Amino acid sequence: MDIQAGGADLETLARVVGRVRSNIERVIEGKPDVVHSTLVVLLAEGHLLIEDVPGVGKTMLSKTLARSIDCSVRRIQFTPDLLPSDVTGVSVFNQNTREFEFRPGGVFANIVVGDEINRASPKTQSALLECMEERQVTVDNSTYQLEQPFMVIATQNPIEMEGTYALPEAQRDRFMARVSVGYPVEAAEIAMLGTHTGANPLDDLEPVTDAAEVRKLIAIVNQVHVSSDVQRYAVAITSATRRSEELSLGASPRATLHLVRAAKAVAAIDGRDYVLPDDVHRLTRPVLAHRLLPSVEAAMSGRSTAAILDAVVGTVAVPAGAR
């Protein structure tokens, strides 16, 4: 069935997204922008990297989204002794049948929560590369497809670097967006004391949608129109990062694709069946910043990657009246 991003479909999407957002905000209070970014990545078929200090709710946000959708969820605690086979699965010899049987690993779920992803070795981190990009796992020359929707939500602590392995550029590039939860405002923290000290709020959280409905919403997002002017604007932004003297590594073509796919999800959530240049512009930081590397001179001068990106984006002309 050809699903068009018409009025009725967009109303359905807005209604379901509203239910999921309200459900998440029952647990994650005072962080509407972070919740919105998480839902955008889900509908854009991307993966999310949550980077922040301990105790601000990174894992709780991941588990709350997973609990709000009635689908399979697996949590992988990344530690130095975690093996690639723990992530992807392993073939085990069955003495009864005299054949090898595949036992799926932690990635065989709709929502995969990777906690403290930078604590595992690079070899184990690389086990996620194929499944994040191609939605499949290859073990012993056999390929196994992952069920849709499939989303990896990884967390990491950027402060405590002892005993960690920085994510390589190839892995960071596979995350559609990076967000920081941040400390709650005082009123939200006081409200949290009232709701979180008596019982775990996750215990009473019920699913408000399921995997089949999420797949329908993703199909609606895919039909959102992106004009040639907006496409050129997205390419102009990523191309400008590659030319910048303050960056030693610019945005990849995959980053351009992620930027446009996320913009389509934002437009659909806002009730539009077309993407505006502003949709692309407001996503540049969460979608591009974690992929870029500042030059030695820029790093020594104290320039942050986000500040460099903002300056680069500011040099790109915004198409007028594009839709």
Side-chain angles (χ1 to χ4, degrees):
M1 181 176 64
D2 184 23
I3 300 179
Q4 299 296 324
D9 288 328
L10 291 174
E11 288 176 10
T12 300
L13 185 142
R15 185 173 63 254
V16 176
V17 168
R19 291 203 309 262
V20 176
R21 179 188 286 118
S22 298
N23 220 36
I24 295 175
E25 290 178 346
R26 289 173 55 191
V27 179
I28 307 297
E29 301 180 45
K31 295 294 176 183
D33 292 342
V34 176
V35 174
H36 181 266
S37 297
T38 304
L39 294 174
V40 166
V41 173
L42 173 67
L43 295 182
E45 296 186 279
H47 307 290
L48 183 67
L49 179 62
I50 307 176
E51 188 176 276
D52 217 322
V53 297
V56 294
K58 301 187 299 294
T59 306
M60 184 66 77
L61 172 62
S62 308
K63 293 168 71 175
T64 303
L65 172 65
R67 185 70 63 88
S68 299
I69 302 172
D70 188 15
C71 60
S72 57
V73 180
R74 297 287 292 272
R75 181 173 181 263
I76 305 173
Q77 184 66 53
F78 281 78
T79 55
D81 60 346
L82 189 74
L83 299 175
S85 58
D86 296 327
V87 177
T88 58
V90 63
S91 294
V92 178
F93 186 71
N94 188 320
Q95 292 284 359
N96 296 326
T97 62
R98 312 299 295 177
E99 294 179 349
F100 282 95
E101 294 180 353
F102 177 68
R103 294 187 178 176
V107 296
F108 283 83
N110 295 117
I111 305 290
V112 178
V113 180
D115 211 9
E116 297 284 0
I117 189 174
N118 57 336
R119 293 210 170 276
S121 68
K123 184 176 182 180
T124 301
Q125 290 178 10
S126 66
L128 284 171
L129 294 178
E130 181 186 14
C131 67
M132 290 177 68
E133 180 65 18
E134 301 173 48
R135 266 68 174 180
Q136 66 181 31
V137 171
T138 302
V139 177
D140 294 337
N141 297 323
S142 296
T143 300
Y144 306 90
Q145 298 297 322
L146 296 171
E147 185 182 350
Q148 302 291 355
F150 174 71
M151 180 181 183
V152 174
I153 306 176
T155 71
Q156 68 174 1
N157 171 14
I159 305 300
E160 186 184 359
M161 301 307 293
E162 185 176 350
T164 63
Y165 304 87
L167 291 180
E169 288 78 10
Q171 184 125 16
R172 290 204 308 269
D173 197 47
R174 279 165 167 78
F175 285 101
M176 176 172 283
R178 180 187 64 184
V179 299
S180 295
V181 178
Y183 293 114
V185 297
E186 186 174 320
E189 194 163 2
I190 292 172
M192 180 192 71
L193 295 178
T195 57
H196 290 235
T197 54
N200 187 345
L202 279 175
D203 294 341
D204 299 326
L205 208 64
E206 296 291 335
V208 293
T209 185
D210 56 25
E213 194 161 33
V214 171
R215 285 194 289 270
K216 292 179 183 177
L217 300 187
I218 291 172
I220 294 171
V221 169
N222 288 339
Q223 298 300 319
V224 171
H225 175 67
V226 185
S227 69
S228 56
D229 286 341
V230 173
Q231 291 177 7
R232 281 193 289 269
Y233 179 56
V235 171
I237 289 175
T238 53
S239 297
T241 65
R242 301 165 197 162
R243 297 191 301 268
S244 173
E245 295 182 355
E246 291 189 288
L247 295 172
S248 60
L249 178 66
S252 66
R254 183 192 287 121
T256 312
L257 180 63
H258 284 180
L259 186 61
V260 172
R261 279 167 45 188
K264 292 170 71 171
V266 167
I269 291 174
D270 288 349
R272 285 181 279 106
D273 60 357
Y274 56 90
V275 174
L276 295 173
D278 187 56
D279 298 327
V280 175
H281 185 274
R282 64 198 261 204
L283 287 165
T284 51
R285 271 203 182 193
V287 174
L288 300 182
H290 64 285
R291 309 167 194 262
L292 309 177
L293 289 179
S295 65
V296 175
E297 294 79 6
M300 291 181 64
S301 65
R303 288 269 285 168
S304 68
T305 306
I308 297 171
L309 176 60
D310 290 344
V312 170
V313 172
T315 64
V316 180
V318 180
R323 55 164 290 178

